[in-house]
Structure formats: C-alpha cells, structure tokens
Amino acid sequence: MIKKYDLDPDSVTEHLGLTPSAVRLPGVDRWNPTGDTDGQWRLQCDERTTRTFSEQLDIILRAAEGCVRVLEMLRAEGCETAIIISGFAGNDSQIIFSAEEMARMSRLQTPVKVIPNVNER
C-alpha cells in the first residue's frame, strides 16, 4: 500500500510500471466518511490469486523488490508505504513467516502491518 494526503494514483502507476489492484483518490471515503482521507494505491493478493499465504506474500514481495528505487523516491516525496497482511484470525489460525521472507521484507525498509479479523464466523 502506498498512501499520501495528495496522492495521484495514476502517477504512482506510471512510476512503478505496475497495475494496481485498487486505488482511492484523496478525499472523504463514502464507505467511511470519518476515516482516512489520504489517496491510496494498492497491490493486493487474496484467495482468488492463490490460497497459499507464502505464495501470496511472494507475489507482493517480488513486485516490491522490482521497484525498490521507486519506493524510496516515493517515500522521499512524503508517501507512506506498507505491506499490509490481513485476514481471519480464529480457530487456532496461524501465520508463519520463513526466515527468508522476514529477510526479504526487512530489505524493503517498509513497515509490515498485520491486521487480524477476529469476527466470529
């Protein structure tokens, strides 16, 4: 995820050379009017891509690793970048990162945020 108060998603797409999964222009979000108003650019994987977490993470990390310099430039321009991992967390669910995955995420020098969904199913 890349975000900034005045983000131009088309410009980010042009710089990265990647097609986003989702974008949001800066301003009030109609689904969450009191929430974040920053513009956002997202590259996402979910069960439609693959049901295996390590494969989903690899897809995102390969894309980010191919754009390290552009991500550095965007951060220098005031953009926030993050790898966001979200999903259902219940029934003894686990998320396991290999040492290699941890090293890859660390080399990107961008925060990793884990956002569990603990709703009853």
Side-chain angles (χ1 to χ4, degrees):
M1 186 259 323
I2 299 168
K3 69 182 221 170
K4 188 178 176 195
Y5 71 94
D6 64 348
L7 187 77
D8 175 4
D10 290 337
S11 177
V12 173
T13 298
E14 183 179 321
H15 286 315
L16 292 174
L18 298 171
T19 301
S21 304
V23 297
R24 186 167 67 92
L25 295 173
V28 175
D29 182 356
R30 69 181 182 157
W31 303 111
N32 186 9
T34 60
D36 191 352
T37 60
D38 289 346
Q40 296 183 8
W41 187 100
R42 293 178 179 235
L43 184 62
Q44 301 168 304
C45 281
D46 59 19
E47 70 278 355
R48 291 171 288 193
T49 306
T50 175
R51 294 186 58 86
T52 305
F53 171 72
S54 61
E55 291 173 2
Q56 291 177 3
L57 183 59
D58 183 60
I59 290 167
I60 298 300
L61 292 178
R62 277 189 284 125
E65 289 163 342
C67 301
V68 170
R69 300 270 187 257
V70 176
L71 292 172
E72 289 171 353
M73 178 199 74
L74 291 169
R75 284 192 295 268
E77 293 176 358
C79 290
E80 177 185 337
T81 63
I83 296 170
I84 300 173
I85 299 167
S86 64
F88 177 68
N91 301 326
D92 298 323
S93 60
Q94 298 180 29
I95 187 167
I96 299 171
F97 298 99
S98 70
E100 177 188 349
E101 290 167 339
M102 294 293 290
R104 290 173 72 191
M105 289 186 287
S106 177
R107 283 191 295 268
L108 290 171
Q109 298 183 10
T110 193
V112 176
K113 299 178 182 183
V114 179
I115 304 171
N117 176 347
V118 293
N119 289 333
E120 296 285 329
R121 286 191 175 205

